[in-house]
Amino acid sequence: MKVLIIEDEKTLAYEIETFLKKAFYVCDLAHNAAKAAECIEMNQYDFILLDLGLPDADGLSLLPKAKKHNPDAAYIILTARGNLEDKIAGLDLGADDYLAKPFSLLELQSRMQAIARRKFNVNVEAISLGDFSVNLQTRFIYFQTRQIELSRKEFDLLSYLLLHKNRVLTRMQLSEHIWGTFADDDYDSNYIDAHIKNIRKKLNLYAATDWLETVRGVGYRIRKS
């Protein structure tokens, strides 16, 4: 998943980025409101982590514009301003959660996972996928009791499609949200196609994968079972 970290305390921003990258998130950084606004206009994010005390603007002023350009993103406010008025204002403007500084990075990850479960209606760790089951927390996929080895990128691709079950995702969307780059040429497009081919090859050794559909000229989707 792709995350925008809007935080002017660079040490904290880099700590969050390093932590989330280890948890398989793709991260962009913005240390002021101007850079944040530029990122929000140019990219689509799954999460936007927003500090309120930015050097060139109040972080709350970014929320309406961010919601306009990234309506599907989840927003978590990160701030040292812990007064009730700011919390209410942020939630009223569309934030999904509010985390006061100092905070544990593990708590931040837990909040993000909780939001993802609500957002994607994922309420169980193991999700059935045809004859397979996928555990998004442990990042394992099983056929019955047998664990199947997928590469990190293959699992990222499969799980992102699974979280958007029955929605067609373009190659550009998949590339941006999983690898952090746009699929704007044949090389990137073929790169995604090659990963899909490898996933099918590995899983088809155990059972059919007709639920993983190619939408000609557009991209891919996992069909509801």
Side-chain angles (χ1 to χ4, degrees), residues 3 5 11-27 29 49 103-113 152:
V3 183
I5 303 166
T11 299
L12 175 59
Y14 293 134
E15 287 177 355
I16 295 172
E17 178 188 31
T18 300
F19 180 83
L20 291 180
K21 281 185 174 180
K22 289 180 180 178
F24 307 105
Y25 291 91
V26 175
C27 299
L29 291 178
L49 311 182
F103 55 83
S104 161
L105 294 176
L106 287 173
E107 182 181 3
L108 172 61
Q109 182 183 22
S110 179
R111 300 279 188 104
M112 292 173 70
Q113 290 173 342
R152 172 181 168 177

Side-chain angles (χ1 to χ4, degrees), residues 119-150:
K119 177 181 176 183
F120 298 113
N121 196 30
V122 177
N123 297 313
V124 293
E125 290 186 353
I127 303 173
S128 295
L129 193 56
D131 294 307
F132 303 90
S133 64
V134 181
N135 190 309
L136 298 178
Q137 300 300 316
T138 62
R139 295 175 60 84
F140 293 145
I141 181 168
Y142 296 91
F143 174 73
Q144 298 176 357
T145 60
R146 185 165 183 178
Q147 183 181 326
I148 302 169
E149 294 292 334
L150 295 182

Side-chain angles (χ1 to χ4, degrees):
M1 292 189 179
K2 192 168 185 180
V3 183
L4 175 61
I5 303 166
I6 307 171
E7 173 58 64
D8 70 319
E9 295 180 36
K10 293 185 179 180
T11 299
L12 175 59
Y14 293 134
E15 287 177 355
I16 295 172
E17 178 188 31
T18 300
F19 180 83
L20 291 180
K21 281 185 174 180
K22 289 180 180 178
F24 307 105
Y25 291 91
V26 175
C27 299
D28 288 342
L29 291 178
H31 300 305
N32 54 56
K35 177 62 176 178
E38 179 183 333
C39 291
I40 289 166
E41 288 185 11
M42 294 178 61
N43 303 286
Q44 290 294 307
Y45 295 97
D46 299 293
F47 283 93
I48 295 180
L49 311 182
L50 174 61
D51 178 32
L52 297 188
L54 299 174
D56 54 343
D58 187 325
L60 285 177
S61 66
L62 286 173
L63 262 176
K65 186 175 184 179
K67 295 285 287 186
K68 179 180 178 181
H69 289 279
N70 277 255
D72 296 326
Y75 294 82
I76 301 178
I77 293 175
L78 310 176
T79 182
R81 287 156 44 180
N83 62 74
L84 182 61
E85 290 77 12
D86 280 335
K87 182 175 182 179
I88 292 173
L91 295 174
D92 284 347
L93 287 171
D96 296 275
D97 206 345
Y98 192 105
L99 199 54
K101 298 177 183 178
F103 55 83
S104 161
L105 294 176
L106 287 173
E107 182 181 3
L108 172 61
Q109 182 183 22
S110 179
R111 300 279 188 104
M112 292 173 70
Q113 290 173 342
I115 291 171
R117 286 194 294 269
R118 296 196 302 268
K119 177 181 176 183
F120 298 113
N121 196 30
V122 177
N123 297 313
V124 293
E125 290 186 353
I127 303 173
S128 295
L129 193 56
D131 294 307
F132 303 90
S133 64
V134 181
N135 190 309
L136 298 178
Q137 300 300 316
T138 62
R139 295 175 60 84
F140 293 145
I141 181 168
Y142 296 91
F143 174 73
Q144 298 176 357
T145 60
R146 185 165 183 178
Q147 183 181 326
I148 302 169
E149 294 292 334
L150 295 182
S151 72
R152 172 181 168 177
K153 293 303 184 185
E154 289 165 358
F155 190 89
D156 287 345
L157 182 54
L158 183 65
S159 61
Y160 197 73
L161 284 164
L162 180 57
L163 288 173
H164 294 84
K165 201 171 183 180
N166 213 42
R167 174 183 171 188
V168 178
L169 297 178
T170 67
R171 292 172 177 83
M172 179 180 291
Q173 288 173 316
L174 292 169
S175 180
E176 182 183 8
H177 286 265
I178 297 171
W179 287 279
T181 57
F182 287 104
D184 56 1
D185 54 40
D186 290 340
Y187 175 82
D188 285 336
S189 178
N190 291 337
Y191 188 65
I192 293 169
D193 293 340
H195 276 77
I196 293 289
K197 181 179 179 180
N198 287 339
I199 292 170
R200 285 175 170 149
K201 182 178 180 180
K202 290 179 179 180
L203 299 187
N204 282 337
L205 293 173
Y206 302 91
T209 56
D210 52 355
W211 40 262
L212 178 53
E213 296 182 336
T214 300
V215 181
R216 188 176 298 276
V218 183
Y220 298 94
R221 72 175 170 187
I222 286 180
R223 176 172 43 82
K224 286 183 180 179
S225 57

